[in-house]
Amino acid sequence: LQKYEELRKSKAGKSAEEQEKIQEEMTKLNYLYVTVPGEKDSPEYRIPLKQIKEIVHHEDLMLQRMKLLAESGQIDIALEFLNWMLENVPDWPGLLEQRGFLLMQDAKIRTEAGRLEDALVPLEELYSLQKDFPGVAEQIGTILQSMANKAAEQEDYPQAHHHLERLRSLYPEHPVVSAISTGLE
């Protein structure tokens, strides 16, 4: 827009030939020029700026797709997208939040499948990256409480105590710590 205005103002006092060249430059500024890789016949396209409502970066589309994949239970594919972005564009805005969301979704899917020990893997990874990520403390507490209760029901008190200590080492003030301790006593 700034370049367009500069060209428009520079037309004054110019010869007809110079004004025509300036007008051609101004016309070119009304288009977005795109080159499509792999296109043999005509790889360049010209899109009128008036027809463009929004430009979305490929990386932002990947973030959106990751969320949809995770929500539909296709966490493995979403994590592949995440790993690609962490390797290639680690500073992309919103990527760290997306990583936390995906790790929480991964844990949720594993928990719903009854794989509690496996569910702790992505949660502990998230804890090591950002221990105050929303919901991580609650989810870790819920899983470790379930595991401790199950061990106590089977009278495997050393295992129940192990789960209590595991939670205490991560979140010493977690309310589940006192609940498990009281239950074990």
Side-chain angles (χ1 to χ4, degrees):
L1 189 61
Q2 182 181 354
K3 178 76 171 162
Y4 186 88
E5 286 301 314
E6 288 173 9
L7 287 171
R8 189 181 62 76
K9 289 177 184 176
S10 72
K11 285 174 68 173
K14 304 279 182 173
S15 68
E17 187 177 301
E18 290 174 319
Q19 284 186 12
E20 189 176 316
K21 286 182 181 180
I22 291 171
Q23 186 60 44
E24 285 177 23
E25 284 282 322
M26 290 171 59
T27 301
K28 286 181 182 177
L29 291 174
N30 287 316
Y31 295 93
L32 174 66
Y33 295 87
V34 179
T35 303
V36 178
E39 187 88 9
K40 301 277 191 245
D41 297 333
S42 82
E44 286 194 6
Y45 292 90
R46 187 173 81 159
I47 304 169
L49 292 177
K50 292 177 184 176
Q51 292 182 354
I52 298 173
K53 292 181 186 172
E54 177 181 26
I55 295 176
V56 180
H57 289 91
H58 171 70
E59 292 81 0
D60 289 328
L61 289 173
M62 287 183 70
L63 289 175
Q64 292 172 17
R65 185 71 176 150
M66 277 186 255
K67 184 175 183 183
L68 292 172
L69 286 166
E71 289 172 345
S72 70
Q74 300 178 49
I75 194 70
D76 293 339
I77 298 170
L79 291 171
E80 285 182 36
F81 280 26
L82 174 68
N83 288 332
W84 182 90
M85 287 189 72
L86 288 171
E87 188 175 308
N88 294 287
V89 286
D91 297 330
W92 194 261
L95 182 59
L96 297 181
E97 294 82 6
Q98 186 71 354
R99 176 175 55 185
F101 170 76
L102 291 178
L103 291 171
M104 292 288 285
Q105 283 295 110
D106 188 12
K108 179 182 173 192
I109 290 167
R110 293 175 189 214
T111 301
E112 289 171 355
R115 298 170 33 218
L116 298 182
E117 189 70 40
D118 290 346
L120 287 173
V121 173
L123 291 173
E124 287 176 339
E125 180 180 345
L126 182 54
Y127 175 88
S128 71
L129 296 167
Q130 186 181 354
K131 72 178 184 178
D132 61 343
F133 190 86
V136 74
E138 292 81 12
Q139 205 162 351
I140 288 175
T142 300
I143 290 171
L144 287 173
Q145 183 176 27
S146 295
M147 292 170 72
N149 289 343
K150 184 176 179 183
E153 287 170 9
Q154 297 171 351
E155 297 183 6
D156 186 356
Y157 299 113
Q159 187 67 23
H161 184 70
H162 166 74
H163 297 309
L164 168 65
E165 291 306 314
R166 193 169 175 185
L167 179 58
R168 189 175 300 181
S169 71
L170 298 173
Y171 298 102
E173 302 301 317
H174 198 290
V176 171
V177 169
S178 62
I180 296 173
S181 292
T182 305
L184 286 176
E185 288 173 8

Coordinates of all heavy atoms in Angstrom, one line a residue, residues 104-143:
M104 N -1.4 -33.9 26.4 CA -2.6 -34.1 27.3 C -3.6 -35.1 26.6 O -4.1 -36.0 27.2 CB -3.2 -32.8 27.7 CG -2.4 -31.9 28.6 SD -2.3 -32.5 30.2 CE -3.9 -32.1 30.8
Q105 N -3.8 -34.8 25.3 CA -4.7 -35.7 24.5 C -4.2 -37.1 24.5 O -4.9 -38.1 24.6 CB -4.9 -35.2 23.1 CG -5.8 -34.0 23.0 CD -7.3 -34.3 23.4 OE1 -7.7 -33.9 24.5 NE2 -7.9 -35.1 22.6
D106 N -2.9 -37.3 24.3 CA -2.3 -38.6 24.2 C -2.5 -39.3 25.6 O -2.9 -40.5 25.6 CB -0.8 -38.5 23.9 CG -0.1 -39.8 23.7 OD1 -0.8 -40.8 23.5 OD2 1.2 -39.8 23.6
A107 N -2.3 -38.6 26.7 CA -2.5 -39.2 28.0 C -4.0 -39.6 28.2 O -4.3 -40.6 28.7 CB -2.0 -38.2 29.1
K108 N -4.9 -38.7 27.7 CA -6.3 -39.0 27.8 C -6.7 -40.3 27.1 O -7.4 -41.1 27.6 CB -7.1 -37.8 27.3 CG -8.6 -37.9 27.4 CD -9.3 -36.7 26.8 CE -10.8 -37.0 26.7 NZ -11.4 -36.0 25.9
I109 N -6.2 -40.4 25.9 CA -6.5 -41.6 25.1 C -6.0 -42.8 25.7 O -6.7 -43.9 25.8 CB -5.9 -41.4 23.6 CG1 -6.7 -40.3 22.9 CG2 -5.9 -42.7 22.9 CD1 -6.0 -39.9 21.6
R110 N -4.8 -42.8 26.3 CA -4.2 -43.9 26.9 C -4.9 -44.3 28.2 O -5.1 -45.4 28.5 CB -2.7 -43.7 27.3 CG -1.8 -43.6 26.0 CD -0.4 -43.2 26.4 NE 0.4 -42.9 25.2 CZ 1.7 -43.1 25.1 NH1 2.3 -43.7 26.1 NH2 2.3 -42.8 24.0
T111 N -5.4 -43.2 28.9 CA -6.1 -43.4 30.2 C -7.5 -44.1 29.9 O -7.9 -45.1 30.5 CB -6.4 -42.1 30.9 OG1 -5.1 -41.5 31.2 CG2 -7.2 -42.3 32.2
E112 N -8.1 -43.6 28.8 CA -9.4 -44.2 28.5 C -9.3 -45.6 28.0 O -10.2 -46.4 28.1 CB -10.1 -43.3 27.4 CG -10.6 -42.0 27.9 CD -11.0 -41.0 26.8 OE1 -10.9 -41.4 25.6 OE2 -11.5 -40.0 27.1
A113 N -8.1 -46.0 27.5 CA -7.9 -47.4 27.1 C -7.5 -48.2 28.3 O -7.2 -49.4 28.1 CB -6.8 -47.4 26.0
G114 N -7.4 -47.6 29.5 CA -7.0 -48.4 30.7 C -5.5 -48.6 30.8 O -5.1 -49.4 31.7
R115 N -4.7 -47.9 30.1 CA -3.3 -48.0 30.1 C -2.7 -46.9 31.0 O -2.1 -45.9 30.5 CB -2.7 -48.0 28.7 CG -3.2 -49.1 27.8 CD -2.9 -49.0 26.3 NE -1.6 -48.4 26.0 CZ -1.5 -47.5 25.0 NH1 -2.5 -47.3 24.2 NH2 -0.3 -47.0 24.8
L116 N -2.9 -47.0 32.3 CA -2.6 -45.9 33.2 C -1.1 -45.6 33.2 O -0.6 -44.4 33.2 CB -3.1 -46.1 34.6 CG -4.6 -46.3 34.7 CD1 -5.1 -46.5 36.1 CD2 -5.3 -45.0 34.1
E117 N -0.3 -46.6 33.3 CA 1.2 -46.5 33.4 C 1.7 -45.8 32.1 O 2.5 -44.9 32.1 CB 1.9 -47.8 33.6 CG 3.4 -47.7 33.9 CD 3.7 -47.1 35.2 OE1 3.0 -47.4 36.2 OE2 4.6 -46.3 35.3
D118 N 1.1 -46.2 31.0 CA 1.5 -45.6 29.7 C 1.0 -44.1 29.6 O 1.7 -43.3 29.0 CB 0.9 -46.3 28.5 CG 1.5 -47.7 28.3 OD1 2.6 -48.0 28.8 OD2 0.9 -48.5 27.5
A119 N -0.1 -43.8 30.2 CA -0.6 -42.5 30.2 C 0.3 -41.5 30.9 O 0.3 -40.3 30.6 CB -2.0 -42.4 30.8
L120 N 1.1 -42.0 31.9 CA 2.0 -41.1 32.6 C 3.2 -40.7 31.8 O 3.8 -39.6 32.0 CB 2.5 -41.8 33.9 CG 1.5 -42.0 35.0 CD1 2.0 -42.8 36.1 CD2 1.1 -40.6 35.5
V121 N 3.5 -41.4 30.7 CA 4.7 -41.1 29.9 C 4.5 -39.7 29.3 O 5.4 -38.8 29.5 CB 4.9 -42.2 28.8 CG1 6.0 -41.7 27.9 CG2 5.3 -43.5 29.5
P122 N 3.4 -39.4 28.5 CA 3.3 -38.0 27.9 C 3.1 -37.0 29.0 O 3.6 -35.8 28.9 CB 2.1 -38.1 27.0 CG 1.4 -39.3 27.4 CD 2.3 -40.3 28.0
L123 N 2.5 -37.3 30.1 CA 2.3 -36.4 31.2 C 3.6 -36.0 31.9 O 3.8 -34.8 32.2 CB 1.3 -36.9 32.2 CG -0.2 -37.1 31.8 CD1 -1.0 -37.7 32.8 CD2 -0.8 -35.7 31.4
E124 N 4.4 -37.0 32.1 CA 5.7 -36.7 32.7 C 6.6 -35.9 31.7 O 7.4 -35.0 32.1 CB 6.4 -37.9 33.2 CG 5.7 -38.5 34.4 CD 6.3 -39.8 34.9 OE1 6.9 -40.5 34.1 OE2 6.1 -40.1 36.1
E125 N 6.5 -36.1 30.4 CA 7.2 -35.3 29.4 C 6.7 -33.9 29.5 O 7.5 -33.0 29.5 CB 7.0 -35.9 28.0 CG 7.7 -35.1 26.9 CD 7.5 -35.7 25.5 OE1 7.0 -36.8 25.4 OE2 7.8 -34.9 24.6
L126 N 5.4 -33.7 29.6 CA 4.8 -32.4 29.7 C 5.3 -31.7 31.0 O 5.6 -30.5 31.0 CB 3.3 -32.4 29.6 CG 2.6 -31.1 29.6 CD1 3.1 -30.1 28.5 CD2 1.1 -31.3 29.4
Y127 N 5.3 -32.5 32.0 CA 5.8 -31.9 33.3 C 7.2 -31.4 33.2 O 7.5 -30.4 33.7 CB 5.7 -33.0 34.4 CG 6.2 -32.6 35.7 CD1 5.4 -31.9 36.7 CD2 7.6 -32.9 36.1 CE1 6.0 -31.5 37.9 CE2 8.1 -32.5 37.3 CZ 7.3 -31.8 38.2 OH 7.8 -31.4 39.4
S128 N 8.0 -32.2 32.5 CA 9.4 -31.8 32.4 C 9.6 -30.5 31.5 O 10.5 -29.8 31.7 CB 10.3 -32.9 31.8 OG 10.0 -33.1 30.4
L129 N 8.6 -30.3 30.6 CA 8.7 -29.1 29.8 C 8.0 -27.9 30.4 O 8.5 -26.8 30.3 CB 8.0 -29.4 28.4 CG 8.6 -30.5 27.6 CD1 7.6 -30.9 26.5 CD2 9.9 -30.0 27.0
Q130 N 6.9 -28.2 31.1 CA 6.1 -27.1 31.7 C 5.2 -27.6 32.8 O 4.1 -28.0 32.5 CB 5.3 -26.4 30.6 CG 4.5 -25.2 31.1 CD 3.7 -24.5 29.9 OE1 3.8 -24.9 28.8 NE2 2.9 -23.6 30.3
K131 N 5.7 -27.7 34.0 CA 5.0 -28.4 35.0 C 3.7 -27.7 35.4 O 2.8 -28.4 36.0 CB 5.9 -28.7 36.3 CG 6.2 -27.5 37.1 CD 7.0 -27.9 38.3 CE 7.3 -26.8 39.2 NZ 8.1 -27.2 40.3
D132 N 3.6 -26.5 35.1 CA 2.3 -25.7 35.5 C 1.3 -25.7 34.3 O 0.4 -24.9 34.3 CB 2.7 -24.3 36.0 CG 3.4 -23.5 34.9 OD1 3.9 -24.0 33.9 OD2 3.4 -22.3 35.1
F133 N 1.5 -26.5 33.3 CA 0.6 -26.6 32.1 C -0.8 -26.9 32.7 O -1.0 -27.8 33.5 CB 1.0 -27.6 31.1 CG 0.3 -27.5 29.8 CD1 0.7 -26.6 28.8 CD2 -0.9 -28.3 29.6 CE1 0.0 -26.5 27.6 CE2 -1.6 -28.2 28.4 CZ -1.1 -27.3 27.4
P134 N -1.8 -26.2 32.2 CA -3.2 -26.4 32.7 C -3.7 -27.8 32.6 O -3.7 -28.4 31.6 CB -4.0 -25.4 31.9 CG -3.1 -24.4 31.3 CD -1.8 -25.1 31.2
G135 N -4.0 -28.4 33.8 CA -4.6 -29.7 33.8 C -3.6 -30.8 34.0 O -4.0 -32.0 34.4
V136 N -2.3 -30.6 33.9 CA -1.3 -31.7 34.0 C -1.2 -32.2 35.4 O -1.2 -33.4 35.6 CB 0.1 -31.3 33.4 CG1 0.8 -30.3 34.3 CG2 0.9 -32.5 33.2
A137 N -1.3 -31.3 36.4 CA -1.2 -31.8 37.8 C -2.4 -32.6 38.2 O -2.3 -33.7 38.8 CB -1.1 -30.6 38.7
E138 N -3.6 -32.2 37.7 CA -4.8 -32.9 38.0 C -4.8 -34.3 37.4 O -5.2 -35.3 38.0 CB -6.0 -32.1 37.6 CG -6.3 -30.8 38.3 CD -5.4 -29.7 37.9 OE1 -4.8 -29.8 36.8 OE2 -5.4 -28.7 38.6
Q139 N -4.4 -34.3 36.1 CA -4.4 -35.6 35.4 C -3.4 -36.6 36.0 O -3.7 -37.8 36.2 CB -4.1 -35.4 33.9 CG -4.7 -36.5 33.1 CD -4.9 -36.1 31.6 OE1 -4.7 -35.0 31.2 NE2 -5.2 -37.1 30.8
I140 N -2.2 -36.1 36.3 CA -1.2 -37.0 37.0 C -1.7 -37.5 38.3 O -1.6 -38.6 38.7 CB 0.2 -36.2 37.1 CG1 0.9 -36.0 35.8 CG2 1.1 -37.0 38.1 CD1 2.1 -35.2 35.8
G141 N -2.3 -36.5 39.1 CA -2.9 -36.9 40.4 C -3.9 -38.0 40.3 O -4.0 -38.9 41.0
T142 N -4.8 -37.8 39.3 CA -5.9 -38.8 39.1 C -5.4 -40.1 38.8 O -5.8 -41.2 39.3 CB -6.9 -38.3 38.0 OG1 -7.4 -37.0 38.4 CG2 -8.0 -39.2 37.8
I143 N -4.4 -40.2 37.9 CA -3.9 -41.5 37.4 C -3.1 -42.1 38.6 O -3.4 -43.3 38.8 CB -3.0 -41.3 36.2 CG1 -3.8 -40.9 35.0 CG2 -2.2 -42.5 35.9 CD1 -3.0 -40.5 33.8

